[in-house]
Amino acid sequence: MPKGWTGSRAKGFSLRFRIFSGFLLMAAATAGLGLLAAQSVSRAGGTGPALLDHALTVTSLARSAEAGVAAVDAALLRRRLAQTPAARQAEEERIAGLAKRIADNLEAVADRAASEAVRQAAASADAAAVAWIGAARSAFRQPSPDW
């Protein structure tokens, strides 16, 4: 027998035992990594939706406010072109409802925002929308320009 074989035999471990213990060690390491992966996935499953939920909700609310501004623009034009006082009053009520919805959406954006910059931007957009609606209302109440 070669010289190296006798030295390992002297420790009392056979080749069969060493191979079996190596497989057991690898199986234990694989089980440990699998358990770690399962825990990581379960933690990521709870964290991801929490992060994305707020961002997606805020984005959806901001887009809803943007669509509300476009709807107010259309309602102001319909009010300007309305022939009867009842039609103008109906458009004025629609504008008031849309303005409230825009303000509510921007307030919700500010409440759910993750950063102070987004909160300030939402407050600024709310103030700008209120000012624009007021200016457009007063401009559309004026008689048509004589050009």
XYZ file of all heavy atoms in Angstrom, residues 29-130:
706
model
N -25.621 21.298 4.325
C -25.390 22.638 3.780
C -26.486 23.007 2.784
O -26.981 24.140 2.777
C -24.014 22.696 3.110
N -26.892 22.059 1.947
C -27.958 22.321 0.980
C -29.276 22.598 1.694
O -30.022 23.511 1.316
C -28.113 21.117 0.022
O -26.863 20.882 -0.615
C -29.180 21.371 -1.014
N -29.579 21.845 2.737
C -30.816 22.076 3.497
C -30.779 23.444 4.169
O -31.784 24.171 4.188
C -30.997 20.976 4.536
N -29.633 23.825 4.704
C -29.506 25.142 5.338
C -29.693 26.273 4.334
O -30.390 27.251 4.613
N -29.092 26.143 3.152
C -29.267 27.165 2.127
C -30.721 27.214 1.636
O -31.247 28.286 1.361
C -28.321 26.906 0.957
C -26.848 27.218 1.226
C -25.996 26.781 0.041
C -26.656 28.689 1.498
N -31.351 26.063 1.525
C -32.758 26.030 1.125
C -33.650 26.719 2.141
O -34.572 27.461 1.785
N -33.388 26.480 3.408
C -34.159 27.137 4.461
C -33.951 28.647 4.438
O -34.909 29.420 4.559
C -33.759 26.569 5.825
C -34.518 27.091 7.033
C -35.996 26.743 6.927
C -33.928 26.539 8.311
N -32.716 29.074 4.249
C -32.416 30.503 4.153
C -33.123 31.125 2.945
O -33.680 32.220 3.036
C -30.906 30.713 4.061
C -30.434 32.160 3.958
C -30.754 32.914 5.240
C -28.957 32.208 3.650
N -33.118 30.417 1.822
C -33.793 30.924 0.623
C -35.298 31.036 0.850
O -35.930 32.014 0.440
C -33.504 30.025 -0.569
N -35.888 30.058 1.510
C -37.333 30.096 1.773
C -37.689 31.266 2.677
O -38.693 31.955 2.458
C -37.780 28.778 2.392
N -36.871 31.513 3.690
C -37.134 32.646 4.574
C -36.952 33.968 3.839
O -37.720 34.909 4.047
C -36.209 32.596 5.788
C -36.558 31.506 6.768
C -35.568 31.428 7.915
O -34.488 32.005 7.858
N -35.933 30.691 8.948
N -35.959 34.055 2.982
C -35.726 35.290 2.217
C -36.887 35.577 1.280
O -37.310 36.718 1.138
C -34.432 35.180 1.417
O -33.330 35.057 2.271
N -37.401 34.537 0.645
C -38.530 34.715 -0.268
C -39.770 35.163 0.501
O -40.504 36.043 0.061
C -38.793 33.415 -1.063
C -40.127 33.460 -1.764
C -37.682 33.179 -2.054
N -39.996 34.583 1.672
C -41.179 34.984 2.443
C -41.049 36.424 2.928
O -42.025 37.170 2.944
C -41.403 34.033 3.618
O -40.372 34.170 4.567
N -39.832 36.841 3.317
C -39.643 38.235 3.725
C -39.784 39.178 2.541
O -40.380 40.246 2.661
C -38.274 38.420 4.368
C -38.305 38.166 5.854
C -36.967 38.452 6.451
N -36.235 37.179 6.334
C -34.936 37.065 6.243
N -34.178 38.111 6.247
N -34.375 35.889 6.144
N -39.249 38.795 1.405
C -39.358 39.636 0.211
C -40.802 39.710 -0.259
O -41.241 40.729 -0.793
C -38.469 39.086 -0.899
N -41.550 38.646 -0.064
C -42.956 38.647 -0.448
C -43.771 39.651 0.343
O -44.753 40.193 -0.149
N -43.377 39.951 1.554
C -44.098 40.938 2.347
C -43.595 42.354 2.134
O -44.351 43.315 2.225
N -42.324 42.489 1.820
C -41.735 43.810 1.675
C -42.030 44.426 0.317
O -42.336 45.612 0.225
C -40.208 43.731 1.871
O -39.939 43.028 3.066
C -39.591 45.102 1.966
N -41.939 43.632 -0.728
C -42.151 44.140 -2.082
C -43.506 44.788 -2.288
O -43.576 45.944 -2.725
N -44.589 44.091 -1.977
C -45.898 44.730 -2.146
C -46.085 45.969 -1.277
O -46.731 46.914 -1.696
C -46.884 43.640 -1.737
C -46.170 42.371 -1.990
C -44.725 42.672 -1.685
N -45.500 45.979 -0.100
C -45.627 47.170 0.749
C -44.955 48.369 0.099
O -45.489 49.480 0.106
C -45.020 46.905 2.122
N -43.782 48.143 -0.483
C -43.094 49.241 -1.159
C -43.822 49.656 -2.419
O -44.030 50.838 -2.676
C -41.667 48.819 -1.510
C -40.709 48.661 -0.345
C -39.386 48.088 -0.833
C -40.475 49.979 0.336
N -44.204 48.674 -3.232
C -44.842 48.987 -4.502
C -46.260 49.514 -4.331
O -46.721 50.308 -5.135
C -44.845 47.760 -5.407
C -43.475 47.342 -5.929
C -43.596 46.067 -6.752
C -42.840 48.429 -6.748
N -46.947 49.044 -3.301
C -48.330 49.460 -3.108
C -48.428 50.960 -2.942
O -49.255 51.618 -3.566
C -48.918 48.742 -1.897
C -50.389 49.029 -1.730
O -51.076 49.171 -2.749
O -50.852 49.108 -0.581
N -47.566 51.525 -2.112
C -47.615 52.970 -1.903
C -47.227 53.730 -3.163
O -47.871 54.706 -3.525
C -46.710 53.374 -0.739
C -47.231 52.923 0.586
N -48.398 53.390 1.117
C -46.752 52.035 1.476
C -48.620 52.817 2.277
N -47.641 51.982 2.517
N -46.178 53.278 -3.835
C -45.736 53.971 -5.039
C -46.790 53.905 -6.138
O -47.073 54.899 -6.808
C -44.418 53.376 -5.536
N -47.383 52.739 -6.318
C -48.394 52.599 -7.362
C -49.659 53.377 -7.024
O -50.279 53.977 -7.901
C -48.721 51.124 -7.591
C -47.596 50.301 -8.216
C -48.008 48.839 -8.307
C -47.218 50.836 -9.570
N -50.027 53.387 -5.769
C -51.215 54.135 -5.361
C -51.001 55.627 -5.553
O -51.882 56.327 -6.068
C -51.550 53.830 -3.888
O -51.742 52.429 -3.743
C -52.792 54.554 -3.449
N -49.840 56.111 -5.157
C -49.547 57.537 -5.302
C -49.514 57.915 -6.782
O -50.056 58.953 -7.182
C -48.216 57.886 -4.595
C -47.733 59.266 -4.973
C -48.394 57.795 -3.091
N -48.903 57.073 -7.607
C -48.858 57.349 -9.046
C -50.258 57.358 -9.637
O -50.605 58.229 -10.443
C -47.991 56.297 -9.757
O -46.685 56.320 -9.189
C -47.897 56.566 -11.244
N -51.079 56.410 -9.216
C -52.454 56.354 -9.716
C -53.249 57.584 -9.306
O -53.996 58.156 -10.110
C -53.137 55.090 -9.189
O -54.483 55.063 -9.567
N -53.083 58.022 -8.073
C -53.792 59.213 -7.605
C -53.313 60.467 -8.334
O -54.115 61.346 -8.673
C -53.612 59.364 -6.096
C -54.363 58.347 -5.241
C -53.882 58.410 -3.803
C -55.852 58.569 -5.317
N -52.018 60.551 -8.580
C -51.490 61.716 -9.304
C -52.014 61.742 -10.735
O -52.373 62.803 -11.260
C -49.965 61.683 -9.288
N -52.081 60.584 -11.364
C -52.624 60.532 -12.726
C -54.116 60.848 -12.738
O -54.622 61.452 -13.678
C -52.355 59.170 -13.344
C -50.906 59.006 -13.715
C -50.639 57.748 -14.455
N -49.233 57.683 -14.811
C -48.633 56.597 -15.209
N -49.315 55.480 -15.318
N -47.362 56.606 -15.508
N -54.821 60.438 -11.703
C -56.236 60.766 -11.601
C -56.425 62.274 -11.459
O -57.348 62.851 -12.046
C -56.861 60.037 -10.415
O -58.205 60.379 -10.269
N -55.558 62.910 -10.684
C -55.633 64.370 -10.547
C -55.328 65.036 -11.886
O -55.979 66.018 -12.259
C -54.646 64.847 -9.477
N -54.370 64.504 -12.614
C -54.039 65.058 -13.933
C -55.224 64.924 -14.889
O -55.558 65.866 -15.621
C -52.826 64.330 -14.503
C -52.390 64.823 -15.854
C -51.232 64.017 -16.406
O -50.889 62.973 -15.848
O -50.682 64.461 -17.431
N -55.879 63.773 -14.859
C -57.068 63.585 -15.699
C -58.191 64.510 -15.254
O -58.966 65.009 -16.084
C -57.525 62.130 -15.631
N -58.278 64.773 -13.955
C -59.282 65.704 -13.452
C -59.065 67.120 -13.964
O -60.022 67.833 -14.287
N -57.801 67.528 -14.073
C -57.502 68.866 -14.601
C -57.940 68.955 -16.064
O -58.526 69.954 -16.490
C -56.000 69.190 -14.434
C -55.618 70.433 -15.215
C -55.663 69.367 -12.965
N -57.698 67.901 -16.831
C -58.141 67.886 -18.229
C -59.668 67.916 -18.310
O -60.244 68.588 -19.180
C -57.593 66.656 -18.939
N -60.334 67.206 -17.394
C -61.798 67.212 -17.376
C -62.340 68.593 -17.008
O -63.355 69.043 -17.556
C -62.314 66.155 -16.395
N -61.666 69.272 -16.082
C -62.080 70.636 -15.724
C -61.914 71.557 -16.925
O -62.775 72.405 -17.198
C -61.279 71.160 -14.510
C -61.455 72.660 -14.335
C -61.711 70.439 -13.249
N -60.824 71.403 -17.651
C -60.597 72.214 -18.847
C -61.733 72.016 -19.851
O -62.268 72.985 -20.402
C -59.252 71.844 -19.466
C -58.811 72.814 -20.527
O -59.243 73.981 -20.491
O -58.010 72.416 -21.394
N -62.125 70.770 -20.063
C -63.228 70.492 -20.992
C -64.551 71.046 -20.462
O -65.356 71.605 -21.225
C -63.340 68.996 -21.227
N -64.789 70.909 -19.156
C -66.035 71.425 -18.576
C -66.091 72.945 -18.652
O -67.162 73.528 -18.881
C -66.164 70.956 -17.124
N -64.946 73.608 -18.466
C -64.919 75.067 -18.594
C -65.256 75.497 -20.023
O -65.981 76.475 -20.233
C -63.547 75.606 -18.188
C -63.261 75.617 -16.681
C -61.784 75.850 -16.423
C -64.105 76.669 -15.980
N -64.750 74.763 -20.984
C -65.064 75.083 -22.376
C -66.545 74.828 -22.674
O -67.199 75.641 -23.340
C -64.177 74.262 -23.314
C -64.346 74.556 -24.797
C -64.046 76.020 -25.090
C -63.454 73.654 -25.608
N -67.074 73.699 -22.152
C -68.514 73.433 -22.350
C -69.362 74.502 -21.675
O -70.404 74.891 -22.197
C -68.871 72.050 -21.802
C -68.446 70.906 -22.679
C -69.078 69.594 -22.256
N -68.816 69.256 -20.869
C -67.778 68.526 -20.450
N -66.896 68.074 -21.318
N -67.624 68.249 -19.185
N -68.914 74.985 -20.511
C -69.657 76.046 -19.821
C -69.649 77.319 -20.659
O -70.637 78.019 -20.763
C -69.018 76.323 -18.464
C -69.767 77.346 -17.652
C -68.965 77.769 -16.445
N -69.671 78.770 -15.684
C -69.765 80.049 -16.036
N -69.213 80.478 -17.135
N -70.438 80.888 -15.286
N -68.525 77.613 -21.243
C -68.395 78.809 -22.077
C -69.301 78.727 -23.303
O -69.872 79.731 -23.726
C -66.935 78.947 -22.503
C -66.651 80.021 -23.486
C -66.387 81.291 -22.787
N -65.861 82.282 -23.729
C -65.718 83.513 -23.422
N -66.008 83.925 -22.215
N -65.273 84.360 -24.296
N -69.437 77.529 -23.867
C -70.227 77.360 -25.081
C -71.701 77.050 -24.825
O -72.484 76.978 -25.773
C -69.620 76.244 -25.940
C -68.188 76.496 -26.429
C -67.652 75.277 -27.131
C -68.135 77.727 -27.306
N -72.068 76.862 -23.555
C -73.460 76.517 -23.229
C -74.388 77.667 -23.604
O -74.061 78.846 -23.415
C -73.584 76.198 -21.752
N -75.565 77.305 -24.114
C -76.531 78.300 -24.576
C -77.494 78.747 -23.475
O -77.905 79.894 -23.440
C -77.336 77.728 -25.753
C -76.484 77.373 -26.956
C -75.880 78.610 -27.601
O -76.478 79.676 -27.616
N -74.669 78.461 -28.117
N -77.843 77.809 -22.577
C -78.846 78.134 -21.559
C -78.188 78.286 -20.186
O -77.142 77.693 -19.915
C -79.907 77.012 -21.479
O -79.270 75.814 -21.036
C -80.558 76.780 -22.841
N -78.831 79.073 -19.314
C -78.295 79.209 -17.954
C -78.277 77.877 -17.199
O -77.376 77.636 -16.404
C -79.241 80.206 -17.279
C -79.880 80.959 -18.396
C -79.935 80.021 -19.550
N -79.248 77.009 -17.453
C -79.280 75.710 -16.772
C -78.078 74.857 -17.181
O -77.468 74.176 -16.341
C -80.583 74.987 -17.097
N -77.719 74.895 -18.448
C -76.553 74.136 -18.919
C -75.268 74.701 -18.324
O -74.363 73.942 -17.937
C -76.494 74.161 -20.439
N -75.192 76.039 -18.216
C -74.012 76.651 -17.610
C -73.916 76.291 -16.125
O -72.830 76.014 -15.614
C -74.053 78.171 -17.799
C -73.652 78.598 -19.193
C -73.404 80.094 -19.278
N -74.628 80.893 -19.209
C -75.420 81.134 -20.246
N -75.129 80.654 -21.434
N -76.506 81.865 -20.113
N -75.063 76.262 -15.445
C -75.070 75.898 -14.032
C -74.670 74.434 -13.844
O -73.938 74.099 -12.914
C -76.465 76.149 -13.420
C -76.561 75.819 -11.954
C -75.618 76.648 -11.096
O -75.318 77.797 -11.399
N -75.137 76.047 -10.026
N -75.139 73.565 -14.734
C -74.766 72.144 -14.645
C -73.254 71.975 -14.827
O -72.614 71.192 -14.101
C -75.526 71.342 -15.697
N -72.687 72.710 -15.768
C -71.234 72.627 -15.975
C -70.476 73.215 -14.783
O -69.426 72.714 -14.408
C -70.826 73.337 -17.270
C -71.261 72.625 -18.523
C -70.733 71.211 -18.630
O -69.580 70.946 -18.199
O -71.466 70.346 -19.139
N -71.026 74.268 -14.194
C -70.392 74.868 -13.010
C -70.380 73.870 -11.851
O -69.383 73.767 -11.123
C -71.128 76.154 -12.619
C -70.429 76.970 -11.568
C -69.083 77.510 -11.996
O -68.909 77.898 -13.164
O -68.175 77.541 -11.139
N -71.467 73.130 -11.685
C -71.519 72.103 -10.639
C -70.536 70.976 -10.933
O -69.884 70.442 -10.033
C -72.940 71.565 -10.502
C -73.903 72.574 -9.896
C -75.353 72.126 -9.958
O -75.620 70.982 -10.393
O -76.225 72.921 -9.581
N -70.434 70.604 -12.212
C -69.472 69.563 -12.594
C -68.038 70.036 -12.309
O -67.215 69.273 -11.819
C -69.622 69.218 -14.071
C -68.671 68.126 -14.513
C -68.837 67.731 -15.958
N -70.106 67.050 -16.135
C -70.943 67.283 -17.138
N -70.654 68.177 -18.065
N -72.074 66.621 -17.244
N -67.765 71.301 -12.583
C -66.430 71.857 -12.328
C -66.128 71.829 -10.830
O -65.019 71.479 -10.415
C -66.331 73.291 -12.891
C -66.355 73.247 -14.408
C -65.077 73.997 -12.383
C -66.577 74.602 -15.050
N -67.119 72.193 -10.019
C -66.915 72.172 -8.561
C -66.618 70.753 -8.068
O -65.729 70.545 -7.239
C -68.140 72.743 -7.857
N -67.356 69.772 -8.594
C -67.111 68.382 -8.204
C -65.739 67.899 -8.645
O -65.034 67.215 -7.885
N -65.348 68.263 -9.857
C -64.023 67.871 -10.346
C -62.911 68.545 -9.551
O -61.884 67.923 -9.250
C -63.895 68.211 -11.831
C -64.705 67.339 -12.791
C -64.700 67.939 -14.189
C -64.159 65.925 -12.808
N -63.105 69.808 -9.195
C -62.102 70.518 -8.405
C -61.935 69.865 -7.037
O -60.809 69.725 -6.540
C -62.485 71.986 -8.256
N -63.032 69.429 -6.444
C -62.958 68.735 -5.152
C -62.226 67.414 -5.302
O -61.391 67.051 -4.469
C -64.357 68.514 -4.594
C -64.389 67.619 -3.377
C -65.221 68.187 -2.283
C -65.332 67.314 -1.073
N -64.089 66.817 -0.546
N -62.510 66.686 -6.395
C -61.843 65.398 -6.618
C -60.344 65.589 -6.839
O -59.536 64.810 -6.332
C -62.469 64.680 -7.807
C -62.017 63.237 -7.908
C -62.811 62.468 -8.900
N -62.336 62.842 -10.234
C -62.929 62.505 -11.351
N -64.040 61.825 -11.324
N -62.429 62.859 -12.512
N -59.965 66.637 -7.562
C -58.541 66.920 -7.769
C -57.866 67.207 -6.435
O -56.796 66.676 -6.128
C -58.358 68.108 -8.740
C -58.782 67.707 -10.142
C -56.914 68.596 -8.740
C -58.893 68.880 -11.094
N -58.511 68.047 -5.624
C -57.944 68.386 -4.319
C -57.835 67.151 -3.429
O -56.819 66.961 -2.740
C -58.796 69.456 -3.641
N -58.854 66.286 -3.439
C -58.810 65.059 -2.640
C -57.688 64.130 -3.102
O -56.976 63.540 -2.284
C -60.150 64.328 -2.706
C -61.271 65.065 -1.980
O -60.956 65.983 -1.186
O -62.445 64.732 -2.215
N -57.534 63.986 -4.424
C -56.473 63.118 -4.951
C -55.094 63.647 -4.575
O -54.223 62.879 -4.160
C -56.580 62.995 -6.471
C -57.707 62.084 -6.897
O -58.174 61.249 -6.140
N -58.147 62.246 -8.123
N -54.892 64.946 -4.700
C -53.589 65.511 -4.359
C -53.324 65.456 -2.861
O -52.183 65.288 -2.425
C -53.469 66.932 -4.899
C -53.368 67.013 -6.427
C -53.431 68.458 -6.891
C -52.116 66.335 -6.933
N -54.367 65.575 -2.065
C -54.202 65.425 -0.612
C -53.815 63.992 -0.268
O -52.951 63.750 0.585
C -55.499 65.804 0.097
C -55.417 65.714 1.608
C -56.737 66.077 2.271
O -57.560 66.766 1.655
O -56.929 65.648 3.424
N -54.433 63.022 -0.943
C -54.079 61.620 -0.715
C -52.656 61.326 -1.172
O -51.937 60.555 -0.533
C -55.066 60.711 -1.442
N -52.236 61.960 -2.265
C -50.843 61.803 -2.715
C -49.896 62.312 -1.632
O -48.905 61.655 -1.298
C -50.607 62.548 -4.049
C -49.124 62.681 -4.346
C -51.302 61.842 -5.197
N -50.188 63.473 -1.076
C -49.332 64.038 -0.032
C -49.319 63.156 1.215
O -48.276 62.987 1.850
C -49.792 65.447 0.318
N -50.463 62.570 1.557
C -50.531 61.717 2.747
C -49.739 60.425 2.576
O -49.142 59.926 3.521
C -51.983 61.370 3.075
C -52.757 62.565 3.595
O -52.113 63.563 3.999
O -54.006 62.520 3.577
N -49.749 59.869 1.375
C -49.111 58.569 1.147
C -47.704 58.676 0.583
O -47.056 57.658 0.358
C -49.963 57.753 0.185
C -51.281 57.406 0.791
C -52.125 56.623 -0.139
N -53.383 56.297 0.527
C -54.456 55.909 -0.091
N -54.447 55.767 -1.385
N -55.542 55.638 0.579
N -47.222 59.865 0.356
C -45.906 60.040 -0.262
C -44.807 59.567 0.684
O -44.913 59.683 1.906
C -45.688 61.495 -0.622
N -43.746 59.044 0.085
C -42.639 58.525 0.875
C -41.591 59.593 1.183
O -40.791 59.417 2.081
C -41.974 57.364 0.138
N -41.606 60.691 0.457
C -40.578 61.709 0.683
C -41.214 63.090 0.852
O -42.338 63.337 0.415
C -39.590 61.744 -0.483
O -40.220 62.248 -1.632
N -40.459 63.954 1.462
C -40.930 65.323 1.694
C -41.043 66.090 0.383
O -41.919 66.936 0.221
C -39.983 66.036 2.662
C -40.462 67.396 3.099
C -41.809 67.362 3.820
O -42.078 66.392 4.543
O -42.594 68.323 3.652
N -40.178 65.781 -0.577
C -40.222 66.467 -1.874
C -41.539 66.181 -2.594
O -42.125 67.084 -3.203
C -39.036 66.030 -2.731
N -42.012 64.954 -2.500
C -43.284 64.607 -3.145
C -44.434 65.312 -2.432
O -45.372 65.780 -3.074
C -43.475 63.072 -3.166
C -44.856 62.693 -3.673
C -42.402 62.415 -4.011
N -44.369 65.390 -1.116
C -45.410 66.096 -0.365
C -45.471 67.567 -0.770
O -46.550 68.128 -0.969
C -45.152 65.980 1.129
C -45.471 64.629 1.698
C -45.315 64.626 3.226
N -45.243 63.261 3.693
C -44.101 62.583 3.871
N -42.952 63.171 3.662
N -44.127 61.335 4.272
N -44.323 68.193 -0.892
C -44.284 69.602 -1.290
C -44.767 69.781 -2.727
O -45.467 70.741 -3.036
C -42.874 70.152 -1.131
C -42.451 70.304 0.312
C -41.001 70.740 0.452
O -40.273 70.824 -0.521
N -40.591 70.997 1.688
N -44.408 68.846 -3.598
C -44.858 68.924 -4.992
C -46.373 68.773 -5.074
O -47.039 69.466 -5.854
C -44.169 67.856 -5.829
N -46.938 67.879 -4.269
C -48.393 67.694 -4.267
C -49.092 68.947 -3.747
O -50.114 69.368 -4.297
C -48.767 66.481 -3.424
N -48.550 69.547 -2.701
C -49.144 70.787 -2.176
C -49.041 71.916 -3.198
O -49.986 72.689 -3.382
C -48.456 71.184 -0.870
N -47.917 71.988 -3.882
C -47.728 73.007 -4.915
C -48.685 72.778 -6.083
O -49.271 73.729 -6.616
C -46.280 72.981 -5.394
O -46.104 73.859 -6.466
N -48.855 71.520 -6.480
C -49.781 71.203 -7.575
C -51.215 71.517 -7.171
O -52.008 72.005 -7.981
C -49.649 69.732 -7.964
N -51.558 71.276 -5.917
C -52.907 71.584 -5.437
C -53.155 73.094 -5.485
O -54.191 73.547 -5.970
C -53.091 71.057 -4.016
C -54.510 71.198 -3.520
O -55.443 71.159 -4.351
O -54.704 71.351 -2.296
N -52.185 73.871 -5.017
C -52.335 75.330 -5.047
C -52.418 75.837 -6.485
O -53.226 76.718 -6.802
C -51.170 75.986 -4.310
N -51.615 75.268 -7.373
C -51.635 75.688 -8.780
C -52.961 75.315 -9.436
O -53.514 76.106 -10.220
C -50.478 75.046 -9.535
N -53.502 74.143 -9.120
C -54.788 73.728 -9.703
C -55.915 74.634 -9.227
O -56.767 75.051 -10.020
C -55.084 72.273 -9.344
N -55.921 74.970 -7.946
C -56.958 75.856 -7.409
C -56.860 77.237 -8.065
O -57.873 77.827 -8.476
C -56.843 75.950 -5.871
C -57.687 77.078 -5.321
C -57.238 74.634 -5.235
